[in-house]
Amino acid sequence: MINEIKKAILSGILISIGGCVYMASVSAGLSWMGAILFSGGLFAICIYGFNLYTGKVGYLAYNFKNLQAWKLVILTCFFNQITTFFIGIAIGQYFPNIREAALNVYSAKLSAPLAKLFISGIFCGILMFLSVDTWKKGHKSGLFIYVPVFIIAGFDHSVANSFYNGAALGQHTFTLKNAALVTTVLLANGIGGWIFPLLTREWKKQQ
């Protein structure tokens, strides 16, 4: 259990680094470059086998009765969120360009309808599942396609959002509106991650 927590914390650190480079790129008017460089975080997570909520939640759909898998996903989600949030707070205190970019990005998310966030989170969940699953199938380049796609499209990634949330710390942070945003994207990422496994698991049984 301790090792799984460590793996979740390490994933949170890597996603935070990805968030830093993306926000710095946005601040410099190079958001497309940040979208590509963000992939480096997930690349390291896949290489080392760390625990990332959006990389694991989709696999629950192959066997919803696996309680151990559920426990791991919930544990991973919690420590991913806590790690990125507190790193975001620290970065926001000492890197003003990243804080300013995070404030702009996160304020736009807060003003968006929950329905938009839900749809956005679903599509991000789909792309994250594809990133990890194509990696497991030996197609490493898929990761560098699907991650930039979800970022450039503006889809919401719950763990990255947690970093932006921390970096943009302010009066909005501990509000019901922000709690609704966080919860909506978390659930939507999970549902999005389940779509491909649910629609293909019968095919897998026949193979």
Side-chain angles (χ1 to χ4, degrees):
M1 185 67 71
I2 297 298
N3 283 338
E4 301 303 334
I5 291 172
K6 289 178 181 178
K7 290 178 183 179
I9 291 171
L10 289 167
S11 285
I13 292 170
L14 289 166
I15 294 299
S16 297
I17 292 171
C20 284
V21 73
Y22 180 59
M23 289 295 97
S25 299
V26 168
S27 180
L30 297 168
S31 56
W32 63 270
M33 182 180 290
I36 296 170
L37 294 175
F38 188 95
S39 304
L42 187 58
F43 179 78
I45 289 168
C46 288
I47 284 285
Y48 291 102
F50 296 151
N51 293 339
L52 181 66
Y53 167 69
T54 50
K56 288 194 172 295
V57 66
Y59 292 94
L60 292 175
Y62 288 123
N63 183 7
F64 283 120
K65 296 179 181 179
N66 188 337
L67 293 180
Q68 287 302 115
W70 275 98
K71 288 177 183 177
L72 178 58
V73 167
I74 292 169
L75 187 78
T76 296
C77 179
F78 177 78
F79 282 98
N80 285 170
Q81 292 286 310
I82 291 294
T83 303
T84 47
F85 181 69
F86 282 107
I87 291 177
I89 292 173
I91 292 293
Q93 292 295 310
Y94 298 105
F95 294 81
N97 62 322
I98 293 177
R99 175 170 170 76
E100 183 179 356
L103 279 166
N104 291 333
V105 167
Y106 207 75
S107 63
K109 295 179 186 296
L110 281 168
S111 63
L114 288 179
K116 178 184 177 182
L117 293 168
F118 187 71
I119 293 169
S120 171
I122 286 176
F123 279 106
C124 179
I126 290 171
L127 291 165
M128 285 300 297
F129 174 79
L130 291 174
S131 295
V132 173
D133 205 52
T134 54
W135 175 281
K136 289 183 175 183
K137 288 177 168 54
H139 304 288
K140 312 301 186 187
S141 60
L143 185 153
F144 294 99
I145 297 171
Y146 299 120
V147 172
V149 165
F150 92 70
I151 294 175
I152 292 171
F155 298 149
D156 282 273
H157 186 283
S158 54
V159 184
N161 274 8
S162 180
F163 171 77
Y164 306 142
N165 189 11
L169 185 71
Q171 293 182 344
H172 68 273
T173 305
F174 301 104
T175 62
L176 289 176
K177 188 173 186 179
N178 194 27
L181 185 163
V182 171
T183 304
T184 298
V185 175
L186 276 170
L187 293 174
N189 283 170
I191 292 170
W194 292 342
I195 289 175
F196 273 71
L198 284 174
L199 294 178
T200 61
R201 62 183 183 179
E202 292 302 320
W203 303 349
K204 287 182 177 291
K205 290 178 182 178
Q206 295 170 12
Q207 291 176 354

